Amino acid sequence: MLVPDDRFADTAKTYFVGRASMKDRFGEPSFRKLHSALRPSLRKAGNGMFRYRAGRSACFRDLNFVRMRASIQFVALVATLFFSLPLWSATGLVVEAKVFHDPGRGPRVEVNMAVMAGTMEARENERGFRFSRIEAITIVEQNGVIKAFSKVELAGQERSDTLSVDLIHQEVFQLAAGLYDLYVEVRDLESTDTTATRYQAPLAVGKLGDGVQISDVLLAERFDPANGAVGSKFGYIAVPLISDYYPSSITNLSFYAEVYGADQAFGADSMYLLSYQLESFEKRTVYGSFRRAQRVRAKAVEPVIAEFDIADLPSGNYLLAIEVRDRKGDLVARREQFIQRNNPKEYNYDLQSMEKVDISGSFVGAFNNVDSLVEHIRSLRPIADPLERKIIDDRWKDRDMVLMKRFFYSFWVNRSPDPELAWKEYREQVIKVNKLFSCRVLKGYETDRGYVYLKFGAPNTMMDRFNEMDAYPYTIWHYYRAGKYTNRRFVFYQASLANNCLELLHSEVPGEIANPRWNQIIHSRNVPLQNVDPTRVNSASGERTEEFFEMPR
């Protein structure tokens, strides 16, 4: 959004459910002004919509709006509404506003709204088809003065089944640059509940300045040929998605934007570089091969109508970035749009599936030394599942660089939406373990203590007893939480004085070594074991060891 104030750079997108009358929402003076202004203007449009003469409307039917069930923003909003609104709710509504600029006319504000399927009542008409009717009022105010308004009656698509779809509607207003308040109110005309769902947000409309600027980014469900329709965008109708959340069911990321002022900045018909890309939200680096660039001839308005195939884009937070660069490659303008992807990816480890893994542009491309990659793969063993451990044991022997890279990449993609960051964090732990637990013949991650440390993290307490007179050197680790288990202990001991490697003798975690005679074994240094049954160690040292185990410190 081209805005004079950064506070309003991303203001108009939210779920809002609640009840209030127009009088309660806008106050008595504004309510009276609104009614006096709107009452004489109502007319019925030829497409079956009632609307007022101000503004321009577009209605998209038979669309399924993507609900942000899994997004943090939605959860936070529900929590807020739970404490501030009644528990019953009216029609579900989602609204966003995007700002573009028309040469010679000024800013163009597109207000997109979606009425949620399942929150609208439907009735049968005389032909036996079911349909919904919604009244939508859109108001733009500035300092208490109504600058633009529209009132429409939206009729849903006639259906013979009971399935419901979202109703998407668009209002377009020509406004001067400035700060406004945007109000939207919808009411279900087929419901006995006459209260309304309302939305309010600040609206900042910027003025085009000197130099190159980029409009807001409109995320689209699809692009349809305009065929002369009003409100087309360079020959296309962009059906708004009205969401920055992309579940796995959506496989394309379509978007629209406009670049302004390139002819003045570079000279008419001069060439410049226009690019768009998907970046990791945390690192601001291009993700994989999601980047496109083209040389463009400068003109007053350059549309950006593009899409990415995101079927294989894993879960995570991303930035859709549009950039303009001059002939020297210097960045001139940039626009960002946040998106959230929910697409859990799990790569299979069979050879046929591994051959399809695309590692181009990924972090594994930096691995060029076979020995280093073998070492990295072997260090994964403590956190690998049984199948992965078998593959690790085979792959490092094969020393096939391409297969090792694909396995390594798949291993981390299956564990994190940011595989590179996950690997770097794990690598830091491997380096620490190698310093702490390496012994004469084994690296730290190959020892039992290194294995437990990498798999379950650092223990909460460690009781080291390396100088007992009648016991082997031993240590007891206590975890408040080890995986999904709480209050668990591990006992390690040094059975051989030829090296300083400690072996795992006993654990309380299911699936790990469990030995009820652990205390007897520790104290068998001077006293041979008499039988295979667990018995108490009748010595001060043995009792002290039991105490250290039962009461970690």
Side-chain angles (χ1 to χ4, degrees):
M1 187 177 292
L2 304 172
V3 299
D5 191 331
D6 290 338
R7 293 174 301 169
F8 303 106
D10 187 12
T11 58
K13 183 177 292 184
T14 184
Y15 277 87
F16 200 99
V17 291
R19 299 184 175 210
S21 66
M22 288 285 286
K23 186 181 299 183
D24 293 336
R25 184 63 197 86
F26 301 134
E28 184 71 27
S30 295
F31 182 74
R32 289 179 177 174
K33 285 190 297 181
L34 178 66
H35 263 275
S36 61
L38 299 185
R39 187 176 299 165
S41 305
L42 183 64
R43 66 182 176 87
K44 185 173 183 179
N47 58 0
M49 296 191 300
F50 288 93
R51 63 177 299 264
Y52 288 93
R53 294 189 177 93
R56 186 171 79 233
S57 297
C59 185
F60 306 95
R61 299 180 180 177
D62 200 24
L63 299 176
N64 285 309
F65 176 77
V66 182
R67 295 159 182 79
M68 295 190 284
R69 293 191 181 98
S71 71
I72 298 174
Q73 296 96 324
F74 178 74
V75 174
L77 176 64
V78 170
T80 301
L81 294 176
F82 181 82
F83 292 102
S84 60
L85 296 174
L87 292 180
W88 28 257
S89 61
T91 307
L93 175 67
V94 186
V95 180
E96 70 173 11
K98 300 292 183 180
V99 179
F100 301 91
H101 289 262
D102 293 332
R105 300 186 63 188
R108 180 181 80 252
V109 179
E110 297 182 358
V111 180
N112 304 314
M113 62 189 77
V115 183
M116 307 293 288
T119 66
M120 297 178 287
E121 298 289 340
R123 68 174 177 87
E124 290 188 0
N125 58 21
E126 61 278 3
R127 299 193 306 276
F129 293 101
R130 295 170 57 83
F131 72 103
S132 302
R133 289 190 309 134
I134 297 294
E135 178 187 80
I137 299 176
T138 307
I139 304 169
V140 180
E141 284 190 4
Q142 187 177 53
N143 299 323
V145 179
I146 297 176
K147 295 295 184 179
F149 60 85
S150 177
K151 181 177 181 180
V152 297
E153 182 180 308
L154 309 174
Q157 186 182 38
E158 293 183 344
R159 304 183 68 91
S160 59
D161 52 40
T162 58
L163 296 177
S164 58
V165 295
D166 303 313
L167 186 60
I168 296 181
H169 176 65
Q170 183 184 80
E171 292 285 350
V172 181
F173 302 104
Q174 297 289 155
L175 297 172
L179 298 178
Y180 299 86
D181 289 309
L182 173 64
Y183 301 95
V184 177
E185 180 173 299
V186 296
R187 181 179 287 103
D188 190 342
L189 298 179
E190 298 300 331
S191 174
T192 56
D193 186 352
T194 59
T195 54
T197 299
R198 80 274 187 202
Y199 167 94
Q200 176 193 4
L203 173 63
V205 180
K207 181 180 180 180
L208 277 180
D210 298 331
V212 179
Q213 297 189 50
I214 304 175
S215 72
D216 285 347
V217 179
L218 173 67
L219 300 178
E221 179 176 310
R222 66 175 187 269
F223 293 105
D224 293 335
N227 298 324
V230 177
S232 65
K233 299 180 185 297
F234 294 87
Y236 292 92
I237 295 293
V239 180
L241 184 65
I242 323 182
S243 175
D244 55 18
Y245 173 71
Y246 285 77
S248 56
S249 58
I250 296 182
T251 58
N252 287 314
L253 171 60
S254 303
F255 56 95
Y256 175 85
E258 295 175 353
V259 178
Y260 309 110
D263 57 338
Q264 297 179 3
F266 305 125
D269 294 332
S270 297
M271 303 300 290
Y272 67 93
L273 183 66
L274 175 63
S275 63
Y276 46 91
Q277 59 211 32
L278 274 179
E279 301 176 356
S280 167
F281 179 78
E282 292 78 12
K283 295 183 294 185
R284 299 298 201 274
T285 56
V286 177
Y287 185 87
S289 58
F290 288 94
R291 186 177 189 274
R292 304 287 184 273
Q294 56 183 330
R295 291 285 177 180
V296 178
R297 194 173 300 278
K299 52 188 176 183
V301 181
E302 177 66 36
V304 181
I305 304 174
E307 71 175 17
F308 283 116
D309 183 348
I310 59 173
D312 294 326
L313 182 68
S315 299
N317 295 328
Y318 300 91
L319 286 177
L320 172 62
I322 300 175
E323 296 181 342
V324 172
R325 297 180 181 270
D326 59 19
R327 289 178 176 269
K328 298 178 181 179
D330 296 332
L331 182 65
V332 176
R334 176 181 167 98
R335 173 67 64 184
E336 298 176 352
Q337 171 65 49
F338 173 84
I339 70 166
Q340 185 178 72
R341 179 68 164 159
N342 182 15
N343 186 32
K345 300 295 292 182
E346 183 172 351
Y347 291 99
N348 295 322
Y349 292 125
D350 60 272
L351 291 177
Q352 185 176 3
S353 299
M354 294 284 285
E355 289 177 356
K356 299 178 181 179
V357 176
D358 182 13
I359 59 175
S360 59
S362 67
F363 71 98
V364 298
F367 298 142
N368 298 315
N369 184 277
V370 174
D371 293 331
S372 296
L373 184 54
V374 166
E375 185 71 15
H376 292 331
I377 290 178
R378 291 181 64 188
S379 72
L380 304 179
R381 220 175 181 282
I383 61 172
D385 61 33
L387 174 61
E388 291 170 334
R389 290 175 191 168
K390 178 67 169 63
I391 295 174
I392 289 172
D393 294 340
D394 293 341
R395 287 283 76 79
W396 79 269
K397 295 176 183 176
D398 295 343
R399 303 177 76 83
D400 185 316
M401 195 69 173
V402 175
L403 276 180
M404 287 194 298
K405 283 185 177 182
R406 287 175 175 169
F407 169 76
F408 192 81
Y409 179 74
S410 301
F411 183 94
W412 288 110
V413 167
N414 287 343
R415 283 165 170 77
S416 172
D418 190 340
E420 182 178 4
L421 178 61
W423 157 241
K424 288 181 178 179
E425 292 176 347
Y426 181 75
R427 179 60 182 165
E428 292 177 358
Q429 297 302 309
V430 171
I431 294 173
K432 179 189 291 187
V433 161
N434 286 341
K435 291 180 179 179
L436 292 175
F437 307 124
S438 291
C439 54
R440 184 175 300 175
V441 295
L442 297 175
K443 293 184 178 180
Y445 68 81
E446 296 175 307
T447 66
D448 287 349
R449 284 188 296 173
Y451 163 83
V452 172
Y453 193 102
L454 290 172
K455 185 172 183 178
F456 300 109
N460 297 102
T461 63
M462 289 188 294
M463 175 56 67
D464 295 332
R465 307 295 292 183
F466 296 145
N467 299 303
E468 296 285 345
M469 296 298 295
D470 60 343
Y472 289 108
Y474 70 92
T475 181
I476 300 175
W477 288 8
H478 176 237
Y479 284 85
Y480 297 154
R481 177 173 288 277
K484 64 180 180 179
Y485 303 100
T486 59
N487 192 28
R488 292 295 190 263
R489 299 161 183 83
F490 293 84
V491 180
F492 305 89
Y493 84 121
Q494 184 180 338
S496 173
L497 299 181
N499 58 61
N500 59 344
C501 293
L502 272 70
E503 302 175 17
L504 178 60
L505 177 60
H506 174 63
S507 170
E508 295 180 314
V509 175
E512 305 296 341
I513 294 175
N515 191 335
R517 302 171 67 230
W518 64 270
N519 198 6
Q520 293 170 257
I521 294 174
I522 287 176
H523 288 84
S524 65
R525 181 175 183 177
N526 299 325
V527 179
L529 296 174
Q530 300 297 328
N531 54 58
V532 296
D533 296 325
T535 59
R536 292 184 61 84
V537 178
N538 296 317
S539 68
S541 175
E543 292 176 358
R544 190 164 52 248
T545 302
E546 290 282 357
E547 180 183 343
F548 292 150
F549 186 86
E550 297 296 338
M551 302 176 62
R553 61 194 70 175

